[in-house]
Amino acid sequence: MLMTPPAPHPLLECGVAVRAPGRLHLGFLDPSASLGRRYGSLGLVVDGFETVVELRRAETTGFSAADAPAQAEGERALAHIAALQRATQRSTPLHLHLARVLPAHAGFGSGTQLALAVGRAFAALHGLDLCTSALARLLGRGVRSGVGIAGFDRGGLLLDGGPGEDGRTAPLLARLELPGDWRVLLVLDPSLRGLSGAGEKNAIASLPAFARGDAAAVCHEVLMRVLPGAASGDFAAFAAGLNEVQRRVGGHFAPAQGGRLYISARVERLCHWIAQHGVAATGQSSWGPTGFAILPSQAEAERLLAQAHASGAVDAALLTTIVAARNIGASVQPLDSSFTC
């Protein structure tokens, strides 16, 4: 799989920094393959949340972190380095610094973005021509959804066709840019974490089959309202379509979330309030607990959030922020020249 690599670019000889954006997972198309292909995903890359890794050559292998959340990801990040070294037979000592990480198990794709950021930094530092899907396979990412992989490369509103039975990364079927005025109100509940690992696998295995009619309806909403709405700037159609996707897919996963569409009752209350007081696309990203409300403008997002605070709909434990969609993927840059090789 690996060819003899070109010599590293001189600017990368000391080290590289990779910035990988967070994404929202907006829903699966067909979790049970009732229409013939399992999963398929709709996702949106957003500004304001990212993983930032720095990787440099060193005398001995080491790790550092900017804060406690980054420190907690150290073992997993170093495991990715070890896996890449085994796969590529490159054993040069490296120092990995996690400057920033996405909230873990919150619906931003933190695990995939960390793996791909580390993988891209490793490949760039060694001059290896490895595409993002190859890095994902080496590091065990993209088993169910491909939007994190596509988002790392390109950003935007993304639709994938689900992974192949042979384990190949889900093919990207469509990529669009949301109209520049649209905004995303993110609602975070720091007290909770979404399912992951064995808990996620067990939850999925325990669910009933996703009905064929529901899968067909979700595909129809995505193809005929969500994507056309985004492409044409028809916010009402986009919101109606995404709300129906969230209703059907959320209903399928509800038994693993205490019978609710949202894992956080606080997030659910605020998202429902917004849906009742404005035209919005609301829902939960992946297993949550992060909720979202996509709105047609910054002014409308600020208006609804202010009114929600005034009405008491925003629990004091919640964190809220308004961001734009992000239409570019990850960036790779040489480390600042102030670093000494």
Side-chain angles (χ1 to χ4, degrees):
M1 179 176 68
L2 298 175
M3 304 294 289
T4 301
H9 190 286
L11 290 177
L12 301 181
E13 288 184 352
C14 286
V16 293
V18 177
R19 311 178 77 95
R23 63 94 183 107
L24 304 179
H25 193 280
L26 304 179
F28 286 120
L29 300 185
D30 188 2
S32 303
S34 62
L35 297 176
R37 189 174 179 105
R38 198 173 190 192
Y39 297 124
S41 299
L42 183 68
L44 176 67
V45 180
V46 295
D47 265 334
F49 290 81
E50 62 182 3
T51 286
V52 182
V53 307
E54 298 170 357
L55 189 65
R56 63 177 66 85
R57 301 178 190 277
E59 294 295 326
T60 58
T61 296
F63 166 78
S64 59
D67 53 26
Q71 184 70 37
E73 297 293 340
E75 184 176 343
R76 178 158 60 164
L78 288 175
H80 292 324
I81 293 288
L84 291 162
Q85 289 176 328
R86 290 192 298 271
T88 63
Q89 299 183 338
R90 265 73 176 179
S91 57
T92 303
L94 301 170
H95 183 88
L96 174 66
H97 178 68
L98 293 186
R100 188 179 308 162
V101 295
L102 292 161
H105 310 305
F108 289 99
S110 60
T112 293
Q113 298 310 305
L114 176 64
L116 296 180
V118 170
R120 178 56 59 221
F122 184 93
L125 195 63
H126 292 85
L128 297 171
D129 185 17
L130 284 170
C131 66
T132 303
S133 59
L135 291 171
R137 288 195 297 273
L138 282 174
L139 299 174
R141 308 310 302 184
V143 175
R144 280 181 288 275
S145 171
V147 295
I149 297 168
F152 182 90
D153 278 340
R154 303 182 62 185
L157 177 67
L158 306 159
L159 176 68
D160 76 59
E165 292 184 2
D166 59 359
R168 290 188 182 183
T169 301
L172 181 64
L173 304 181
R175 178 196 175 273
L176 296 170
E177 296 186 3
L178 290 190
D181 291 342
W182 294 9
R183 291 293 182 268
V184 185
L185 170 59
L186 295 173
V187 185
L188 289 75
D189 186 341
S191 70
L192 296 174
R193 284 192 169 196
L195 291 171
S196 63
E200 179 182 21
K201 292 179 182 178
N202 292 337
I204 291 175
S206 71
L207 294 172
F210 193 60
R212 183 183 179 92
D214 283 331
V218 167
C219 291
H220 182 85
E221 294 293 341
V222 170
L223 183 61
M224 299 309 298
R225 289 214 281 188
V226 177
L227 295 184
S232 66
D234 184 345
F235 183 79
F238 171 87
L242 186 51
N243 285 335
E244 184 63 12
V245 170
Q246 281 280 316
R247 186 185 72 81
R248 290 179 183 267
V249 177
H252 173 68
F253 287 98
Q257 298 183 155
R260 301 190 306 268
L261 299 185
Y262 295 75
I263 194 172
S264 167
R266 299 184 183 99
V267 172
E268 182 175 32
R269 184 164 58 250
L270 177 53
C271 287
H272 282 178
W273 188 97
I274 291 171
Q276 291 168 358
H277 292 82
V279 178
T282 58
Q284 175 178 281
S285 176
S286 187
W287 290 105
T290 299
F292 63 84
I294 304 176
L295 295 153
S297 68
Q298 178 77 23
E300 179 67 358
E302 291 175 354
R303 181 189 72 82
L304 281 170
L305 182 57
Q307 289 187 357
H309 274 287
S311 72
V314 184
D315 190 281
L318 295 178
L319 300 176
T320 61
T321 186
I322 300 169
V323 301
R326 174 171 166 143
N327 294 317
I328 58 174
S331 65
V332 181
Q333 297 176 320
L335 284 175
D336 188 279
S337 59
S338 64
F339 288 101
T340 302
C341 294

